[in-house]
Amino acid sequence: MRKVLSFFILTISLCFIIASCDDKHDGYPEEPGTDEPDIDEPVEQTAFWEHTHLAFMGLKGSVSHITERSYSLVEDAEEEPVVFFEARFNEDGMLTAYNSTGVEMQPETRGNVWISPSCYAYEYDGDGKMSKIIVNTVGEIPVEYTLKYGEHTNYVPLIFPVGPMEYFLVKGLESITSSDRTIQYVFNGTEASYASETWMGQVETVFQYEPESVYPIRKTATTTLEGVVQVTETTRYTYDERGGLVSADYKAEDGEGRVTERTIIRYYENSLLLLKSKATDAYGTTMDWNYTYDADNLPMKSEFVMGKNSENEVNDEEYYEYLTFDGQGNWTDSKQKQSSFINETHQDGEVGVCRIFSYYKKND
């Protein structure tokens, strides 16, 4: 049974980060709504996608490096700490490296590239725009993606994660080209598109825009094998007046047009991508997640339910207690009850989680 649950969770995680949703299902999740945000404190009025990566990750001060690890709360335990993620930032607060694999970053072996599975390195030009990303996967040659910009004002999605943000927009992007020549991503003024090869077949991905919007309203990914459509995935996005992402509505259909999965993700308004809720119906199995935060936007509780109101209903939750903070206001030690249903990288049970920070020194 657990293997089946893990399969569903892994499938769902292809959409976005895990969170949760409404407690009512009628077949598939209902359409995204416009609920009033539960977090009332507004962020400063900077264009939404122009905030620093530190701000999106909820970090304060001039962080240069952070490592987050879990450890056993049992005295004299022999378990090794588990690394959740490690990240580095430049002095502008933008990510230069991110690793969430649980494998320690290794010494530099090729320029600014760390050799580690699914480890990302980011580079920037003189204007502070992301100009290159290097993706490292164990056993494979690192792949470099080169970004080029134009004069247009549209916000174009990146095709790789930026730290923990799976969906991220950058202004003025015109193209992304991979060093192995497998990816040529181009924005032509009305849509951004690229083709890629997977074990399922060839995937054509298109982000579409409406004439009056600078943000993409729809993503369509069509997988074909020998000319036959295998899967069509469609995601519809809604934004607030600042361009902040409000909801993402994902639907997967098989080659015969049957809906196999529907997932709706909602974000708190007046926040920087804080997940509010997620609801999924995959092959008739419903799953819901729900996140709550404190006044400082720190996660307080996450809830999970599968098969709500059925005789096989499954429930689980996570909760978080913050024990210490450093002089910059970042928490450094916490006690957490974790669940692999909430986050597949987490353990099941109570653990301690610590964060080690390094900061840039201020110039006198």
Side-chain angles (χ1 to χ4, degrees), residues 24-269:
K24 181 179 179 181
H25 283 281
D26 182 12
Y28 291 100
E30 64 183 50
E31 296 292 327
T34 56
D35 298 337
E36 290 297 317
D38 294 336
I39 296 179
D40 296 321
E41 182 180 350
V43 296
E44 67 269 26
Q45 292 304 305
T46 301
F48 184 86
W49 299 100
E50 305 301 326
H51 287 85
T52 66
H53 298 155
L54 283 174
F56 278 105
M57 293 176 66
L59 300 176
K60 302 174 182 178
S62 300
V63 178
S64 64
H65 178 236
I66 175 177
T67 302
E68 183 171 310
R69 295 181 173 91
S70 71
Y71 60 91
S72 175
L73 294 174
V74 178
E75 284 190 37
D76 302 323
E78 297 182 358
E79 298 177 14
E80 291 292 327
V82 176
V83 177
F84 286 153
F85 75 88
E86 186 174 3
R88 297 184 186 274
F89 303 85
N90 62 22
E91 293 188 74
D92 295 325
M94 310 305 280
L95 278 161
T96 59
Y98 188 80
N99 176 13
S100 62
T101 66
V103 178
E104 293 282 0
M105 287 183 179
Q106 302 299 316
E108 297 179 10
T109 59
R110 185 176 180 273
N112 291 324
V113 179
W114 280 283
I115 303 302
S116 178
S118 301
C119 178
Y120 298 86
Y122 308 89
E123 297 180 7
Y124 301 85
D125 63 19
D127 296 324
K129 295 180 179 179
M130 187 182 296
S131 60
K132 183 181 293 185
I133 177 174
I134 303 96
V135 180
N136 291 278
T137 303
V138 156
E140 298 181 11
I141 297 174
V143 179
E144 298 183 3
Y145 295 85
T146 301
L147 288 67
K148 293 185 178 180
Y149 296 83
E151 299 299 324
H152 69 85
T153 58
N154 287 65
Y155 285 84
V156 180
L158 296 174
I159 59 174
F160 39 72
V162 176
M165 289 82 74
E166 293 288 331
Y167 182 75
F168 202 85
L169 306 181
V170 292
K171 188 177 182 179
L173 182 66
E174 281 196 344
S175 69
I176 300 177
T177 305
S178 63
S179 59
D180 61 4
R181 301 185 179 182
T182 60
I183 297 295
Q184 180 64 43
Y185 179 53
V186 177
F187 174 71
N188 64 10
T190 59
E191 62 182 33
S193 62
Y194 70 102
S196 58
E197 292 286 345
T198 72
W199 64 271
M200 292 181 62
Q202 185 178 54
V203 183
E204 294 281 347
T205 301
V206 180
F207 291 94
Q208 297 173 306
Y209 294 72
E210 289 182 340
E212 66 275 14
S213 176
V214 297
Y215 310 106
I217 62 165
R218 184 182 300 105
K219 172 187 177 182
T220 303
T222 305
T223 302
T224 58
L225 183 62
E226 297 181 350
V228 179
V229 174
Q230 305 295 309
V231 181
T232 301
E233 300 168 281
T234 304
T235 306
R236 293 188 292 109
Y237 304 102
T238 61
Y239 306 87
D240 62 23
E241 66 280 359
R242 298 178 303 123
L245 189 61
V246 174
S247 68
D249 183 349
Y250 168 87
K251 180 172 66 174
E253 299 175 275
D254 63 19
E256 298 182 2
R258 292 185 294 257
V259 177
T260 58
E261 181 184 333
R262 179 78 177 280
T263 295
I264 296 175
I265 299 174
R266 293 184 175 91
Y267 300 84
Y268 282 105
E269 295 187 42

Side-chain angles (χ1 to χ4, degrees), residues 269-283:
E269 295 187 42
N270 297 321
S271 73
L272 294 180
L273 296 180
L274 285 184
L275 284 160
K276 181 179 182 179
S277 61
K278 181 175 181 178
T280 288
D281 189 326
Y283 294 94

